[in-house]
């Protein structure tokens, strides 16, 4: 672990922070297998290796531009939070657009049993769910039309965990491939999307300030 703060280093080594060097007890001393000072770029760090009580570590991100570092930090933070949620909630679903395609298939089937105008809403909702795998294909540079057609076919055959596979540029069983997402994340995303849609639909008109297009007359000459 590369320790950046004194308190973190002391806890990792099992020691105690003292205000004075007098009367130091053996119980207050911490230990590690290796201590060294390393330099990364223009910064120097104290590196403790083999700490008996280390529960955290510091990740040092390096890059050529600040924008790349910020993007890497956001991606790393998202990945850590996903793993954290997966550990707290033992319910997971297959990622890579698999769960969205399965929900879309089920909603399309359910819409056929509805006789009223609600059928149009359910069908539109099912179509909107396919935007997720389509966007994943666009981000990876794949042909979204071909991939989505393959996914529709396999999901219609009962393969509910089939999703996009970036490594093979095809589709695969993402549950077997360990491409998982916590189900609570999907539930929260769908709930937030529905609430945002309802908020937009509840707006029946917009208010425009008539003075916003008013232009002041030109000043008189000499004033």
């Amino acid at each position: 672990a590369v320790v950046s703060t004194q308190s973190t280093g002391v806890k990792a080594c099992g020691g105690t922070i003292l205000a004075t060097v007098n009367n130091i007890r053996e119980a207050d001393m911490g230990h590690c297998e290796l201590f060294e000072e390393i330099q990364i770029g223009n910064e120097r760090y104290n590196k403790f290796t083999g700490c008996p009580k280390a529960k955290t570590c510091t990740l040092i991100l390096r890059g050529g531009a600040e924008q790349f570092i910020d993007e890497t930090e956001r991606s790393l933070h998202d990945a850590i939070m996903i793993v954290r949620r997966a550990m707290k909630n033992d319910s997971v679903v297959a990622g890579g657009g698999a769960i969205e395609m399965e929900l879309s298939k089920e909603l399309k089937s359910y819409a056929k049993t509805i006789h009223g105008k609600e059928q149009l809403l359910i069908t539109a909702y099912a179509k909107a769910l396919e935007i997720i795998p389509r966007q994943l294909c666009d981000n990876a540079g794949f042909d979204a039309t071909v991939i989505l057609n393959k996914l529709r076919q396999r999901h219609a055959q009962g393969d509910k965990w089939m999703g996009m596979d970036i490594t093979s540029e095809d589709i695969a069983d993402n549950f077997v491939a360990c491409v998982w997402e916590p189900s609570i994340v999907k539930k929260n995303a769908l709930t937030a999307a529905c609430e945002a849609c309802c908020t937009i639909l509840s707006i029946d008109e917009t208010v425009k300030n008539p003075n916003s297009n008013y232009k002041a007359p030109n000043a008189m000459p000499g004033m």
Side-chain angles (χ1 to χ4, degrees):
V2 179
V3 180
S4 57
T5 60
Q6 182 181 11
S7 59
T8 304
V10 172
K11 291 179 181 179
C13 296
T16 304
I17 298 179
L18 302 175
T20 178
V21 295
N22 297 326
N23 300 324
I24 298 179
R25 301 177 303 170
E26 185 177 355
D28 297 329
M29 303 294 293
H31 66 278
C32 64
E33 296 179 0
L34 176 64
F35 169 77
E36 55 184 334
E37 186 178 13
I38 61 176
Q39 182 169 348
I40 302 178
N42 297 327
E43 301 291 337
R44 300 187 67 85
Y45 298 90
N46 295 329
K47 182 180 179 182
F48 295 81
T49 305
C51 300
K53 297 184 178 181
K55 296 182 179 181
T56 60
C57 65
T58 301
L59 300 178
I60 300 178
L61 306 179
R62 302 182 63 190
E66 185 176 354
Q67 292 82 357
F68 297 152
I69 296 297
D70 294 339
E71 184 63 27
T72 303
E73 183 181 1
R74 285 191 294 267
S75 300
L76 183 61
H77 179 268
D78 293 342
I80 293 175
M81 290 299 103
I82 287 294
V83 174
R84 177 175 176 268
R85 286 184 177 273
M87 294 181 64
K88 287 190 173 183
N89 302 273
D90 56 356
S91 176
V92 296
V93 294
I99 188 62
E100 287 82 6
M101 293 300 297
E102 182 65 18
L103 290 175
S104 178
K105 184 203 73 172
E106 294 295 334
L107 287 176
K108 288 179 181 178
S109 300
Y110 175 70
K112 295 178 182 179
T113 64
I114 305 299
H115 301 285
K117 296 181 179 179
E118 291 82 0
Q119 182 183 126
L120 298 176
L121 300 176
I122 298 174
T123 304
Y125 197 106
K127 185 178 180 180
L129 287 172
E130 294 186 355
I131 295 178
I132 300 299
R134 180 180 296 274
Q135 188 62 48
L136 291 175
C137 292
D138 293 340
N139 293 344
F142 300 160
D143 190 340
T145 303
V146 174
I147 297 297
L148 287 179
N149 287 338
K150 290 182 179 180
L151 289 175
R152 293 190 191 101
Q153 178 189 16
R154 296 299 297 272
H155 279 266
Q157 296 174 354
D159 299 327
K160 63 180 181 179
W161 298 130
M162 296 299 294
M164 191 187 69
D165 185 6
I166 297 180
T167 57
S168 63
E169 299 186 11
D170 203 352
I171 62 175
D173 190 330
N174 283 345
F175 203 87
V176 176
C178 296
V179 182
W180 301 340
E181 293 186 56
S183 58
I184 188 174
V185 174
K186 290 299 181 182
K187 292 179 181 178
N188 292 339
L190 292 175
T191 301
C194 292
E195 291 177 352
C197 183
C198 292
T199 302
I200 295 175
L201 293 176
S202 65
I203 301 175
D204 55 354
E205 63 178 349
T206 58
V207 179
K208 183 178 180 181
N209 183 8
N211 295 327
S212 61
N213 295 328
Y214 175 75
K215 295 182 179 180
N218 295 331
M220 295 297 292
M223 295 183 64

